[in-house]
Amino acid sequence: MAGQAQLPRRIVKETQRLLSEPAPGISASPSEENLRYFNVMILGPQASPYEGGLYKLELFLPEDYPMAAPKVRFLTKIYHPNIDKLGRICLDILKDKWSPALQIRTVLLSIQALLSAPNPDDPLAENVAKHWKENEVEAVQTAKEWTRLYAQHP
Amino acid sequence: MAGATVVVPRNFRLLEELEKGEKGIGDGTVSYGMDENDDMLMRNWTGTIIGPSNTVHDGRIYTLKIFCDISYPDKAPQVKFCSRVNMSCVASNGVVDPRHFHLLGHWNRSYTLETVLVELRKEMASPQNRKLPQPPEGTMF
């Protein structure tokens, strides 16, 4: 495959492991034309407002990975205080808490965990966070509604 | 060249451009942003150019629509002036004609929305455009 020769060994190893031993509820596979660009699926965690939803994400390993964090974005609409309307994710390990010791797998597990534990005190989507703080029951209801509307299996 | 092997996919490239645009570019003579903040495909953008001094465009604020299709940035975006302007590379409906605007006609993946706007602004100051009679300021296509 084109580009394979230049792909750093670390990325090759991570990719092999992601494919051979996927984490529960998570799948990630590189696209054929760009081995640094992954199609990701995450199942909404049980006992979260996203349960029953299937979320599509995209992940890209920039040139300076693993010195720089992967770039990740939701492609499926989701009602969550730490995910904005463009699917951008507010997660410390994607920003200042990134360490080269982390991997694609750890990033995806952290995103899955973020779905179980929304953090309205560190919001990216201000309106959603406000809703969450003022009326959590109602906000969770909206999140469930969005799961039903936008995150159903094809 | 380092960029030769690592290709930034469309969406992440546009997210980078969006963030750059939000911070503001250079001296502010060009700017751009996304039309709808929930458009996951990030296709529709609006740019502005402040006309260069010592030309007929001096101080005018031009608004443009930029359409980044799924093929962007491998292919050039489509660019159309909303503000009326008389330029050699702009058709009578405001569309920037790639045949007469080298940057769009000979597109390169390293070009950005910023490059498009900066080059259009330079084009306004080119010998064939700097003195062309202009429609009244503020009129739209």
Side-chain angles (χ1 to χ4, degrees):
Chain A
M1 245 180 292
Q4 181 84 66
Q6 284 95 356
L7 203 66
R9 183 156 176 76
R10 150 107 184 218
I11 297 179
V12 174
K13 292 301 266 183
E14 279 200 56
T15 305
Q16 284 169 351
R17 189 156 167 253
L18 281 169
L19 296 171
S20 62
E21 307 161 45
I26 295 174
S27 78
S29 53
S31 81
E32 279 180 24
E33 59 273 22
N34 188 344
L35 296 173
R36 288 173 174 266
Y37 183 49
F38 289 73
N39 301 305
V40 176
M41 293 287 203
I42 297 182
L43 279 173
Q46 282 178 4
S48 81
Y50 313 103
E51 182 173 357
L54 178 66
Y55 294 88
K56 193 169 169 15
L57 297 87
E58 55 184 353
L59 179 147
F60 173 63
L61 304 173
E63 186 168 11
D64 38 1
Y65 180 84
M67 295 319 291
K71 297 182 181 294
V72 199
R73 180 175 87 121
F74 273 81
L75 291 167
T76 306
K77 266 172 82 97
I78 182 165
Y79 198 75
H80 189 294
N82 311 106
I83 302 166
D84 76 3
K85 287 177 176 176
L86 285 178
R88 291 180 289 188
I89 305 161
C90 179
L91 187 63
D92 55 2
I93 60 160
L94 292 175
K95 305 199 169 88
D96 51 325
K97 294 281 160 49
W98 170 254
S99 143
L102 299 169
Q103 298 186 12
I104 303 171
R105 173 185 302 269
T106 14
V107 165
L108 297 179
L109 285 168
S110 301
I111 293 171
Q112 195 184 40
L114 187 66
L115 297 186
S116 290
N119 177 11
D121 292 320
D122 185 21
L124 189 60
E126 298 283 350
N127 289 341
V128 180
K130 192 162 170 277
H131 194 190
W132 223 274
K133 283 180 156 179
E134 287 173 1
N135 190 342
E136 188 172 337
V137 174
E138 195 186 275
V140 165
Q141 205 51 49
T142 306
K144 284 182 180 169
E145 185 72 9
W146 280 39
T147 305
R148 195 176 59 75
L149 284 174
Y150 306 115
Q152 291 314 296
H153 299 238
Chain B
M1 197 176 74
T5 52
V6 177
V7 176
V8 180
R10 175 190 185 273
N11 293 349
F12 290 104
R13 162 70 179 267
L14 281 173
L15 286 172
E16 278 174 18
E17 293 201 45
L18 176 65
E19 272 160 37
K20 187 160 186 213
E22 282 168 348
K23 283 185 195 136
I25 300 160
D27 57 1
T29 51
V30 305
S31 62
Y32 62 85
M34 230 169 66
D35 287 358
E36 308 281 342
N37 70 355
D38 61 349
D39 173 16
M40 286 281 209
L41 291 172
M42 301 178 280
R43 280 181 296 198
N44 295 297
W45 299 70
T46 296
T48 59
I49 298 174
I50 299 179
S53 48
N54 301 316
T55 71
V56 290
H57 308 282
D58 190 358
R60 290 193 179 206
I61 300 172
Y62 293 107
T63 308
L64 308 86
K65 289 286 179 198
I66 306 169
F67 181 75
C68 296
D69 213 341
I70 298 303
S71 54
Y72 179 87
D74 293 321
K75 298 235 171 80
Q78 292 156 44
V79 186
K80 183 180 185 294
F81 273 84
C82 306
S83 318
R84 292 192 78 89
V85 66
N86 186 13
M87 283 173 76
S88 54
C89 61
V90 178
S92 57
N93 59 356
V95 171
V96 178
D97 187 338
R99 288 168 303 179
H100 299 291
F101 184 51
H102 190 269
L103 190 86
L104 292 184
H106 298 81
W107 184 255
N108 175 320
R109 203 182 198 279
S110 68
Y111 300 156
T112 61
L113 301 183
E114 179 184 350
T115 335
V116 171
L117 296 169
V118 167
E119 289 303 313
L120 271 174
R121 188 168 185 271
K122 281 190 196 156
E123 193 62 28
M124 288 175 181
S126 71
Q128 70 266 33
N129 285 313
R130 60 183 302 135
K131 289 179 177 162
L132 280 184
Q134 294 299 315
E137 191 170 349
T139 51
M140 298 292 185
F141 278 112

